[in-house]
Structures are given as structure tokens and as C-alpha cells.
């Protein structure tokens, strides 16, 4: 084969991803660098799966346009150190192919060479013995063979051999790998990916021994990270380049990696204070999405939760609660005009509300996750835990719950029995308060079934009251007729709403916005039994000042607060209610003796 067209590139790229996906758990198992957090396989799969899911549907006749679209998707979905490196490599590879409808070996080689160079430059302190070393040796061998006039099939075969040889040597290049007696997990991931591409290029199954049999082993010794969190942001800078952000973030931690270009960056760092890093970043551009994971494994104790928790992205809980309990999120889909985004992955809530406020022609709609998304989350969770507990927003507001049920039916019988699904009949912090209650029960030693039964018994006890600044956004999305928005503007009234029996219902209105927080709290308290103690969730969109005022009003009130948290509201809430919205949710503590 002398040239690769777009259709052939799709075939070999897809085969490469599938080959890597099959060995997800091996990559997790041998992961010890830069930290032994056991998630390299998960990170690479989560980086590539969104690309894989849309690959067949892409109708791009040119290789440059195809790879550019795939690279943009990968930059948004990248996870973890290896995932961001992988995304940067492919981003630079695609950029180097600009102007190429088809690519010969020389084009492929030059793109790899450029990608290796820019990937090294994107890392604050590049380390040999990692995925970088495998990428570089693979590119050098590809160039040597391409310059000698070899065809693609021969090049891939020999490059795969070269990658395997250098991969074997990585176990002696870094102290952590030498101590653990394993190869680099990211390097193995790239080797598997390239081996799959080579099999598709040759249009036959791989031959020879199974590399996983050689590399699959439990590390003999590992060192824990000295820092607390792995933090990532997808970020739109205000004109600053990568070097600027390298200097800006360098003092905040290590494992600093910045992928992308001056239009969109994906920043990765290990740090003790992700909130401080984010505040500094916010002064130099717009944060599109974020991810913060703990780098430390929690010591086992008698109260450890022996199951996995999953929620859809319409459930709002404090970030620290989500991180500390390793709660996975399945994103809903957000449609902005004619483009879909994955909630909290492709677009953050802050960015969504900013765009809703500024773009007067923006139409926002939401859609439930596909069953395949839930199935992938179940399978990932079941590899680590014996049981799964999932929290969905109300089945009367979305099809998310039905997708979750359909996905469970796709599992084998044994795994299906291990997954319990809660229809919270709530949304946002209403669902979040129920999840937090479940955590209390689980930490107290309750079983999966006992916890699920109790949560279903109290889900109707959640009390809510919300304020909507304008019905304009509901009108834009087609949920209300234009006359509704016109009347509220003309009369100067703001609707009040609540979630009852799983549905959104009208609860009156305010005439004017003066002292709106005080007025809403006053009405909210009338719905509560002030003899009882409540956990409260305060939800807002782009108006944090309202959340602060609400908390102050609650603190001054006679209400007994057992816990309170503030959180930016879920996209599914904001898409209907729009910016300027806030909402109070309360869940009474269990009565003594219950």
C-alpha cells in the first residue's frame, strides 16, 4: 500500500483503539509512573472512546479534515497524564497533515516527527522511559524506513518491533519502573495501539506471541505521590501561549503538561490545591471543563464503602464529596443550536451559562445519555467493586433513568444483579442530598439493598423552591410559547418553581427582584418543619452572589442546619431555567429512633 485515504485511516485508527481497549485492566495494573494510581488504562480508554464512538459517522473524504476533527475531540476528552500526552501527540500529528487529502509514508513520517517534537515541548519536565520514549523511537524508525522507500505494511511491522524493543527497556530507565519491575503503562498503551493499527494495515490478524503475557504483572513496589490531586482543565486562553502557562502553573505542583494550541488548551498538573490553580487560570481565559481526582488511595477501614457509586451529570454534590468517594459521572448530552456536547466533559457549567447569557440566538436543549454510556460506566466500576449504586435525575423529567435500566439489561446475568439504580425523583442538589444521605448510610455499615431501600423511602421528603430570573430561555428552547416570556417581562414578575413527585411545578411568583433571596428563603421556610434539622443544598447558575445571600439568610433563620453546601446547578436545570436562576433544596435528618 502506497497511500492511506480517509476511509483507510478510519479503519486502522479504529483497530488501534480496539486493541488498546482490550487491555485496559493490564494498563491499570502496571501503572506506577508518574504516580501509582492504577488508572492509565481507564484514562486512555476515556480519552479515546468519544473518538471511537463518532468515528463511523464521520463523512470526511480528506485525511487532513478527518484527523483534525478527531484531534479536536480527543483534546476535549483527554484524561490523565498518558491521555493528555496521547491527545497532544495526535493533535500535532493532525496539524502536520494540513493540506493532505491522502498520505504516503513520507507524509505519515513527517507528521509523527513533528508530533513527537511538540509533545516533548508540551511537557514541563519530559522524562525518558515513559510513553515519550516509545513515541520517539517509533517515529525515528518510521522515518528511517519511509526514507528507504518501504511500503506501509513493512514499515508498520518493523516499527512495531522497534516499539516493543524500547518498551522492554523502559523497565530499567526510571527508578519507579525498575523498583516495580514493570514497563511504562503509557508506553505499553501506545505500543498496543500501534500494533492494532499495523494489523489493520496488513488486513490480517496479529501474529506472534501475545505481548500482554510478557508485560502483565503486578508491580513489586510502588511509591505514593507526595501531592494530593491530579487536576485538569480544558481552557480557552485570552491570547497567551503554552510557555506562559508553563511558567504560571510551574509553582503549583508537578507532572505539568499542556496540550493544544492558543485556541484551546488542555492543562494537566499534580497539585495540593486545585482550587488555587483554577482561580489563577480564570484570570487568563475561560474554563470549559475540569476534572479533579485524588492521587492517594484511601486506607481500608471497617467503614469503607465496598461498592461503586455512579451518578448522571444532573446530580449536584460538592466537588470534594465526589472526589473523596471516587464517584463516577455519566454525562447527559447538551445541544447548543446544532452541536452536541457532553455535560461536564466537553463543556463546563460555567461556560454554558456564560454562553446562554451572551449569545441571544443560542438554543439549549438536553438529552439523556445513551445506554452504551451507562453500560461502560457499569463495566468499569464492576472491575473494581462487587456492586454498583447509581443515582439518576427524575424519570419524569428525563429519559436518563430509562437509559440506565436499558444498559443494565445489556450486562450478563451475574453483573446485572450487582447493579442497583435509584430514580431520585429529583434533580440537581435534590438528587445530590439523597446521594449524600446514601454515603452516610454506607459509611455507617448499611448494605447496598438497605441503603437503596431507605433512599427510595425518603426521596419524597426533599423540599425545594427555585427562582427564575427570566422565561426567555424556556421560550428559546421551545418549552414555553413566546407570549409567556412577554407577559412576565411586561408585568415585572419572576416565577417560583419546585420539584414535587418528580415533576417541575409552579409555586407562585415574585413581583420585582428586590430582596429576592430574602423573599425566597421566607417562603421556603414555610414549607419546612422547623422542629427538625435539615441538610440543605443551594444551587445557582451564573449568580454566586445570590447563593451567598441565601446562605446568610438561612444562617439568620430559625432553621436547624445539619449541613449546607453551595453548587453551580446542573446543565439540565439551567437549560430550562437559564442564567440568574437559584434554587434551595432541603432533606430532613432522620427522626430519632428511625
Amino acid at each position: 500500500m502506497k497511500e492511506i485515504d480517509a476511509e483507510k485511516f478510519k479503519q486502522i485508527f479504529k483497530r488501534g483503539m480496539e486493541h488498546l481497549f482490550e487491555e485496559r485492566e493490564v494498563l491499570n495494573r502496571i501503572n506506577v509512573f508518574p504516580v501509582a494510581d492504577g488508572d492509565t488504562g481507564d484514562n486512555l480508554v476515556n480519552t479515546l472512546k468519544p473518538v471511537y464512538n463518532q468515528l463511523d459517522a464521520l463523512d470526511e473524504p480528506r485525511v487532513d479534515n478527518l484527523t483534525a476533527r478527531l484531534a479536536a475531540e480527543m483534546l476535549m476528552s483527554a484524561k490523565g497524564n498518558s491521555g493528555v500526552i496521547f491527545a497532544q501527540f495526535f493533535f500535532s500529528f493532525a496539524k502536520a497533515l494540513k493540506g493532505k487529502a491522502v498520505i504516503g509514508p513520507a507524509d505519515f513520517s513527517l507528521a509523527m516527527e513533528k508530533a513527537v517534537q511538540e509533545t516533548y515541548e508540551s511537557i514541563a519536565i519530559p522524562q525518558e522511559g515513559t510513553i515519550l520514549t516509545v513515541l520517539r523511537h517509533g517515529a525515528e524508525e518510521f522515518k528511517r524506513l519511509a526514507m528507504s522507500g518501504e511500503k506501509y505494511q513493512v514499515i508498520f511491522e518493523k516499527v512495531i518491533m522497534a516499539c516493543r524493543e524500547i518498551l522492554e527497556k523502559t523497565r530499567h530507565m526510571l527508578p519507579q519502573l525498575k523498583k516495580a519491575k514493570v514497563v511504562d503503562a503509557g508506553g505499553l498503551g501506545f505500543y498496543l495501539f500501534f500494533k492494532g493499527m499495523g494489523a489493520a494495515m496488513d488486513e490480517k490478524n496479529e501474529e506472534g506471541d501475545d505481548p500482554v503475557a510478557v508485560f502483565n504483572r503486578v508491580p513489586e513496589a510502588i511509591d505514593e505521590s507526595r501531592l494530593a490531586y491530579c487536576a485538569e482543565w480544558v481552557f480557552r486562553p485570552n491570547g497567551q501561549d503554552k510557555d506562559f502557562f508553563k511558567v504560571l502553573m510551574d509553582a503549583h505542583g508537578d507532572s505539568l503538561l499542556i496540550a493544544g494550541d492558543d485556541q484551546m488548551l488542555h492543562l494537566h498538573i499534580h497539585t495540593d490545591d486545585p482550587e488555587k490553580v483554577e482561580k489563577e487560570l480564570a484570570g487568563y481565559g475561560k474554563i470549559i471543563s475540569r476534572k479533579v481526582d485524588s492521587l492517594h488511595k484511601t486506607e481500608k477501614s471497617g467503614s469503607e464503602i465496598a461498592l461503586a457509586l455512579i451518578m448522571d451529570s444532573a446530580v449536584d454534590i460538592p466537588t470534594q464529596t465526589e472526589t473523596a468517594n471516587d464517584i463516577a459521572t455519566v454525562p447527559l448530552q447538551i445541544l447548543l443550536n446544532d452541536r452536541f456536547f457532553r455535560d461536564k466533559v466537553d463543556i463546563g457549567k460555567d461556560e454554558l451559562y456564560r454562553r446562554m447569557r451572551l449569545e441571544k440566538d443560542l438554543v439549549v436543549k438536553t438529552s439523556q445519555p445513551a445506554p452504551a454510556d451507562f453500560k461502560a460506566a457499569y463495566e468499569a466500576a464492576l472491575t473494581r467493586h462487587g456492586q454498583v449504586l447509581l443515582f439518576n435525575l427524575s424519570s419524569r423529567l428525563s429519559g436518563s433513568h430509562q437509559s440506565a435500566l436499558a444498559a443494565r439489561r445489556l450486562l450478563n446475568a451475574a453483573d446485572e444483579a450487582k447493579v442497583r439504580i435509584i430514580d431520585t425523583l429529583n434533580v440537581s442538589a435534590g438528587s445530590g442530598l439523597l446521594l449524600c444521605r446514601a454515603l452516610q448510610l454506607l459509611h455507617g455499615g448499611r448494605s447496598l439493598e438497605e441503603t437503596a431501600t431507605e433512599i427510595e423511602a425518603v426521596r419524597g421528603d426533599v423540599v425545594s423552591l427555585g427562582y427564575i430570573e427570566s422565561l426567555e430561555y424556556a421560550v428559546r428552547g421551545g418549552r414555553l410559547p413566546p407570549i409567556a416570556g412577554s407577559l412576565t417581562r411586561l408585568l415585572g414578575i419572576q416565577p417560583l418553581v419546585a420539584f414535587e413527585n418528580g415533576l417541575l411545578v409552579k409555586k407562585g411568583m415574585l413581583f420585582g427582584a428586590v430582596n429576592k433571596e430574602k423573599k425566597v428563603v421566607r417562603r421556603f421556610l414555610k414549607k419546612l418543619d422547623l422542629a427538625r434539622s435539615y441538610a440543605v443544598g443551594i444551587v445557582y447558575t451564573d449568580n454566586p452572589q445570590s447563593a451567598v445571600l441565601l446562605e446568610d439568610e438561612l444562617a439568620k433563620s430559625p432553621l436547624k442546619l445539619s449541613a449546607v453546601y453551595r453548587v453551580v446547578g446542573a446543565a439540565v436545570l439551567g437549560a430550562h431555567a437559564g442564567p440568574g436562576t437559584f434554587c434551595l433544596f432541603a432533606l430532613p435528618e432522620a427522626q430519632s429512633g428511625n
Side-chain angles (χ1 to χ4, degrees):
M1 180 182 297
K2 294 182 178 180
E3 290 184 327
I4 296 175
D5 60 15
E7 190 59 35
K8 185 62 179 179
F9 190 90
K10 286 168 65 174
Q11 293 173 14
I12 66 173
F13 201 74
K14 185 175 184 180
R15 184 67 173 277
M17 290 188 286
E18 290 172 343
H19 204 64
L20 186 152
F21 294 164
E22 290 170 3
E23 309 303 342
R24 174 182 192 152
E25 288 311 312
V26 174
L27 298 174
N28 286 337
R29 187 174 299 115
I30 68 170
N31 169 212
V32 297
F33 183 85
V35 292
D37 49 1
D39 63 359
T40 292
D42 293 342
N43 287 334
L44 286 173
V45 170
N46 290 330
T47 296
L48 294 169
K49 202 63 182 286
V51 178
Y52 182 86
N53 289 341
Q54 68 165 292
L55 191 60
D56 288 337
L58 291 179
D59 185 20
E60 288 286 358
R62 296 174 58 92
V63 172
D64 55 356
N65 292 337
L66 172 67
T67 55
R69 290 185 64 176
L70 297 177
E73 179 71 33
M74 199 183 301
L75 189 66
M76 292 290 293
S77 62
K79 297 289 184 293
N81 196 66
S82 294
V84 178
I85 290 175
F86 210 105
Q88 172 62 54
F89 178 84
F90 190 68
F91 183 84
S92 297
F93 178 88
K95 189 169 62 172
L97 294 179
K98 187 174 182 179
K100 303 289 184 181
V102 297
I103 54 174
D107 301 316
F108 203 113
S109 171
L110 289 171
M112 284 190 73
E113 185 177 31
K114 184 67 173 176
V116 167
Q117 176 190 337
E118 293 189 0
T119 301
Y120 268 81
E121 292 171 353
S122 72
I123 302 172
I125 306 177
Q127 292 272 7
E128 294 299 340
T130 65
I131 185 175
L132 292 175
T133 303
V134 181
L135 289 171
R136 179 168 57 81
H137 278 258
E140 289 171 353
E141 181 68 0
F142 203 111
K143 181 178 180 179
R144 184 185 70 80
L145 294 164
M147 291 181 66
S148 67
E150 295 285 6
K151 293 183 179 180
Y152 268 122
Q153 288 89 339
V154 174
I155 293 175
F156 268 83
E157 180 182 352
K158 293 186 176 180
V159 169
I160 290 165
M161 292 174 60
C163 286
R164 176 163 179 170
E165 289 173 3
I166 194 63
L167 180 63
E168 287 276 10
K169 295 177 182 179
T170 63
R171 69 173 85 239
H172 305 294
M173 291 182 179
L174 283 170
Q176 295 95 321
L177 301 179
K178 189 172 183 178
K179 183 178 179 181
K181 297 183 179 179
V182 294
V183 301
D184 180 65
L188 177 57
F190 178 76
Y191 167 74
L192 291 168
F193 175 80
F194 208 77
K195 194 170 190 289
M197 291 180 71
M201 183 65 69
D202 227 1
E203 298 182 349
K204 65 182 181 181
N205 292 326
E206 302 94 318
E207 296 178 354
D209 62 347
D210 179 3
V212 176
V214 178
F215 300 126
N216 183 10
R217 60 185 302 160
V218 177
E220 294 191 10
I222 58 175
D223 297 320
E224 192 170 66
S225 172
R226 64 181 179 83
L227 297 168
Y229 299 102
C230 172
E232 297 176 41
W233 296 268
V234 175
F235 183 76
R236 183 179 293 122
N238 288 336
Q240 301 84 0
D241 60 14
K242 286 184 181 180
D243 289 338
F244 173 86
F245 289 103
K246 278 185 185 179
V247 175
L248 181 72
M249 297 181 70
D250 184 61
H252 292 290
D254 61 24
S255 296
L256 176 58
L257 167 61
I258 304 178
D261 57 18
D262 57 359
Q263 299 299 310
M264 189 75 71
L265 296 174
H266 192 122
L267 303 100
H268 170 283
I269 191 171
H270 292 172
T271 180
D272 282 330
D273 195 345
E275 291 184 5
K276 184 177 180 181
V277 179
E278 181 164 318
K279 285 179 181 178
E280 191 153 7
L281 279 176
Y284 298 98
K286 293 295 181 181
I287 293 170
I288 308 302
S289 66
R290 63 182 59 76
K291 180 180 80 74
V292 179
D293 293 325
S294 173
L295 288 171
H296 296 294
K297 301 297 182 182
T298 304
E299 292 295 325
K300 292 187 177 182
S301 66
S303 62
E304 182 185 10
I305 298 175
L307 55 80
L309 287 163
I310 304 174
M311 62 186 186
D312 66 32
S313 63
V315 179
D316 286 323
I317 60 174
T319 300
Q320 61 268 31
T321 302
E322 182 178 349
T323 300
N325 293 280
D326 196 22
I327 301 171
T329 301
V330 177
L332 275 76
Q333 299 288 322
I334 303 172
L335 180 63
L336 303 184
N337 290 339
D338 59 351
R339 184 180 175 189
F340 275 103
F341 296 81
R342 289 164 299 162
D343 185 17
K344 297 169 65 174
V345 176
D346 299 329
I347 187 168
K349 292 183 284 189
D350 291 335
E351 174 72 359
L352 171 65
Y353 299 137
R354 182 191 71 84
R355 289 189 58 181
M356 289 181 72
R357 182 75 77 176
L358 295 178
E359 299 176 29
K360 299 305 180 184
D361 59 346
L362 186 69
V363 176
V364 183
K365 297 182 180 181
T366 60
S367 178
Q368 71 265 24
D373 296 332
F374 282 110
K375 182 173 181 286
Y378 297 154
E379 290 172 341
L382 287 169
T383 61
R384 292 176 174 76
H385 300 275
Q387 296 175 308
V388 174
L389 180 59
L390 169 72
F391 282 73
N392 279 127
L393 85 155
S394 174
S395 61
R396 298 173 185 175
L397 295 172
S398 167
S400 180
H401 184 64
Q402 293 303 318
S403 286
L405 292 172
R408 186 173 61 180
R409 291 192 291 269
L410 298 175
L411 301 173
N412 63 53
D415 284 344
E416 184 177 358
K418 299 173 185 176
V419 177
R420 187 71 154 81
I421 301 171
I422 301 288
D423 177 1
T424 65
L425 296 180
N426 278 277
V427 70
S428 188
S431 303
L433 289 170
L434 293 170
L435 196 159
C436 290
R437 174 66 59 82
L439 284 169
Q440 293 175 358
L441 296 171
L442 292 165
H443 280 296
R446 300 289 184 89
S447 69
L448 169 66
E449 194 56 41
E450 289 171 337
T451 300
T453 299
E454 185 158 344
I455 294 303
E456 288 175 342
V458 302
R459 60 190 172 183
D461 295 341
V462 176
V463 179
S464 62
L465 186 64
Y467 166 92
I468 297 178
E469 180 181 87
S470 171
L471 293 179
E472 172 190 350
Y473 305 95
V475 171
R476 280 193 214 171
R479 291 175 285 273
L480 288 175
I483 187 63
S486 300
L487 283 175
T488 55
R489 286 194 300 272
L490 180 65
L491 298 175
I493 58 176
Q494 278 74 42
L496 298 180
V497 297
F499 296 91
E500 297 178 355
N501 299 316
L503 294 170
L504 179 68
V505 298
K506 297 177 182 177
K507 300 300 288 187
M509 60 191 68
L510 292 183
F511 290 91
V514 177
N515 293 324
K516 55 185 179 293
E517 295 85 7
K518 182 179 292 186
K519 294 174 183 176
V520 169
V521 168
R522 188 183 303 134
R523 295 197 188 193
F524 184 61
L525 294 176
K526 291 179 181 179
K527 303 177 71 175
L528 306 180
D529 178 0
L530 297 183
R532 299 185 68 179
S533 180
Y534 287 81
V536 173
I538 301 171
V539 174
Y540 61 97
T541 53
D542 63 342
N543 50 339
Q545 67 283 354
S546 287
V548 173
L549 291 172
L550 289 167
E551 187 168 355
D552 288 344
E553 289 297 324
L554 289 171
K556 292 186 292 186
S557 78
L559 180 64
K560 300 173 186 176
L561 291 169
S562 60
V564 61
Y565 68 86
R566 303 195 302 260
V567 64
V568 179
V572 71
L573 174 67
H576 290 73
T581 293
F582 60 77
C583 193
L584 293 166
F585 293 88
L587 177 64
E589 295 297 327
Q591 297 276 28
S592 178
N594 288 352

